[in-house]
Amino acid sequence: METHISCLFPEILAMIFSYLDVRDKGRVAQVCTAWRDASYHKSVWRGVEAKLHLRRANPSLFPSLQARGIRRVQILSLRRSLSYVIQGMPNIESLNLSGCYNLTDNGLGHAFVQEIPSLRVLNLSLCKQITDSSLGRIAQYLKNLEVLELGGCSNITNTGLLLIAWGLHRLKSLNLRSCRHVSDVGIGHLAGMTRSAAEGCLNLEYLTLQDCQKLTDLSLKHISKGLAKLKVLNLSFCGGISDAGMIHLSHMASLWSLNLRSCDNISDTGIMHLAMGTLRLSGLDVSFCDKVGDQSLAYIAQGLYQLKSLSLCSCHISDDGINRMVRQMHELRTLNIGQCVRITDKGLELIADHLTQLTGIDLYGCTKITKRGLERITQLPCLKVLNLGLWQMTDSEKVR
């Protein structure tokens, strides 16, 4: 007796359809009534984010999304009112408006007119017309928000952060990349330093302050005092922070990832402060900190030996620094030393001999390495990623 796919129970069909990509999920719904019904089972669409161009009215759009249990939406282009989305999906969990340049405070204000307890994630990255006024609405009506992306929203000020600190107590992740008006005062609001006005976002675990040029070491003091649950801190391109600020960060027990990329005032002294504290960092990025050299590697080996990822691209390190570090770094899995032009085959041999758990290494622009050193690196038993970039073999090194 032959069994045809049409004989399968709807639950089995739904299980099969759940493995398809989004486009194919839609296609199988057009095959026949049985497949359409099976494809509309909520298990098929679990975790799917609908990507929409909002141009003209489509009365069936949101009922269709709700029938399939879709609660995550990305708006690719916004030519209708945002309230159209909010009214159509009252149980929305995630709303991504990244790059919707025409979104204004007025448009957002008309959409958020009552509490939306289901909304957990809101992405407003590169919505450049959004100001503190919108953050007031968000703080008032999105009390359960856990993730807020504001990267590139260059009109946000400390007042906006005060509003966030007043209303969004469940916030776990906040991205303020390139919010150029944000200063130490605003970070103080987030960290609960102004309790008389706002409780603060004391549950923050992920904080991105990349390219916030007005921040100084005082911000790091606020963070260390108020944000005890912080796990990931991105301070890349923050030129106003210095070695002294690292003292404040050095005893943050929950912090496991710190990004100091292109922080021009961080030197070996700053790395010393981090290493002498009680940090249990898993990831550290000091790439393009041109005051970081071999002495930093000695400090890392002494106090940050539990690192699994270390980025030192374009730092002034040499084979001597590698020698001082490798014997203690048994947990290291990823090492980025691209554009470290003083590294030679000797350094690579030390890495190959001692960092046997490495799964990835970046050697982009390391112009003094040769085929001999690379042969040692490629013998690492766990290596999966090797970036060579600008490296080139000389004619005498090429296999003939």
Side-chain angles (χ1 to χ4, degrees):
M1 178 179 176
E2 292 186 3
T3 301
H4 191 266
I5 192 170
S6 61
C7 300
L8 293 176
F9 289 114
E11 293 81 5
I12 303 299
L13 281 174
M15 187 181 300
I16 296 170
F17 294 162
S18 69
Y19 290 98
L20 300 176
D21 61 32
V22 174
R23 179 172 293 183
D24 287 338
K25 290 178 197 288
R27 285 171 174 165
V28 296
Q30 301 173 34
V31 172
C32 62
T33 303
W35 281 32
R36 182 199 63 196
D37 294 344
S39 70
Y40 268 54
H41 195 281
K42 291 183 178 181
S43 64
V44 174
W45 300 90
R46 186 177 292 120
V48 168
E49 180 180 64
K51 300 180 188 294
L52 309 175
H53 291 279
L54 290 187
R55 294 170 179 165
R56 54 183 178 272
N58 183 351
S60 65
L61 174 60
F62 295 118
S64 173
L65 294 179
Q66 290 197 79
R68 286 176 276 181
I70 294 176
R71 302 177 70 180
R72 301 173 63 231
V73 173
Q74 179 180 3
I75 306 301
L76 300 175
S77 58
L78 186 65
R79 297 183 184 178
R80 293 184 59 81
S81 170
L82 181 60
S83 59
Y84 177 64
V85 180
I86 302 302
Q87 292 169 7
M89 299 191 68
N91 294 319
I92 190 169
E93 288 182 354
S94 174
L95 178 59
N96 186 347
L97 294 159
S98 176
C100 289
Y101 306 110
N102 57 335
L103 179 65
T104 64
D105 289 335
N106 190 43
L108 191 143
H110 282 124
F112 297 154
V113 294
Q114 61 184 17
E115 290 193 8
I116 310 175
S118 60
L119 194 59
R120 298 290 193 275
V121 179
L122 178 61
N123 190 338
L124 296 173
S125 297
L126 298 175
C127 294
K128 293 181 177 292
Q129 297 189 63
I130 293 300
T131 73
D132 297 336
S133 175
S134 287
L135 296 188
R137 286 276 183 172
I138 290 167
Q140 182 177 3
Y141 294 123
L142 307 183
K143 298 288 188 182
N144 291 330
L145 207 62
E146 296 179 0
V147 178
L148 179 57
E149 297 281 337
L150 297 171
C153 295
S154 52
N155 290 315
I156 300 300
T157 74
N158 294 328
T159 300
L161 298 195
L162 176 61
L163 293 166
I164 290 174
W166 166 77
L168 301 182
H169 302 149
R170 297 188 179 185
L171 203 62
K172 293 182 179 180
S173 178
L174 178 61
N175 187 338
L176 296 170
R177 175 181 54 82
S178 299
C179 291
R180 60 189 180 188
H181 298 299
V182 168
S183 70
D184 299 331
V185 174
I187 303 305
H189 294 325
L190 294 177
M193 298 296 109
T194 51
R195 289 292 180 91
S196 59
E199 182 178 326
C201 299
L202 307 186
N203 289 310
L204 272 178
E205 297 179 2
Y206 304 87
L207 180 58
T208 296
L209 299 172
Q210 177 182 337
D211 196 31
C212 291
Q213 294 294 331
K214 289 189 175 182
L215 302 188
T216 73
D217 294 334
L218 181 57
S219 285
L220 306 190
K221 183 177 181 180
H222 293 328
I223 289 170
S224 66
K225 282 189 172 183
L227 302 181
K229 297 181 180 180
L230 201 65
K231 296 178 180 179
V232 176
L233 178 59
N234 186 341
L235 296 166
S236 57
F237 298 93
C238 289
I241 66 172
S242 72
D243 292 333
M246 299 303 102
I247 299 174
H248 301 303
L249 299 183
S250 64
H251 294 286
M252 294 190 69
S254 296
L255 196 66
W256 56 262
S257 178
L258 179 60
N259 190 336
L260 299 169
R261 189 181 186 92
S262 293
C263 292
D264 296 335
N265 292 313
I266 298 299
S267 71
D268 293 335
T269 303
I271 305 304
M272 177 191 70
H273 292 322
L274 294 175
M276 291 179 65
T278 55
L279 287 173
R280 295 290 297 172
L281 285 181
S282 176
L284 176 64
D285 189 344
V286 290
S287 297
F288 302 98
C289 295
D290 57 14
K291 296 177 183 176
V292 169
D294 288 338
Q295 186 59 50
S296 285
L297 300 193
Y299 292 138
I300 288 170
Q302 181 181 358
L304 298 173
Y305 48 82
Q306 70 284 346
L307 283 171
K308 293 184 178 180
S309 175
L310 177 59
S311 293
L312 297 155
C313 296
S314 199
C315 292
H316 291 293
I317 61 171
S318 68
D319 297 337
D320 180 57
I322 297 294
N323 186 43
R324 297 163 76 177
M325 178 186 72
V326 289
R327 291 170 180 81
Q328 283 72 41
M329 306 296 289
H330 305 300
E331 301 294 321
L332 201 63
R333 300 294 187 271
T334 301
L335 178 62
N336 298 322
I337 51 175
Q339 300 182 60
C340 293
V341 294
R342 298 167 65 195
I343 300 294
T344 71
D345 290 342
K346 179 182 177 182
L348 298 192
E349 289 167 3
L350 287 164
I351 291 169
D353 287 341
H354 298 284
L355 301 181
T356 55
Q357 300 302 308
L358 275 187
T359 60
I361 185 167
D362 178 12
L363 300 172
Y364 173 91
C366 293
T367 53
K368 291 188 177 180
I369 62 175
T370 70
K371 181 182 176 183
R372 187 187 73 180
L374 287 176
E375 285 178 343
R376 293 296 306 277
I377 286 294
T378 55
Q379 291 171 7
L380 282 165
C382 301
L383 193 68
K384 296 179 180 178
V385 178
L386 171 60
N387 181 21
L388 296 177
L390 295 176
W391 183 84
Q392 292 181 335
M393 287 186 186
T394 62
D395 289 339
S396 61
E397 292 168 337
K398 291 179 181 177
V399 178
R400 299 185 183 280

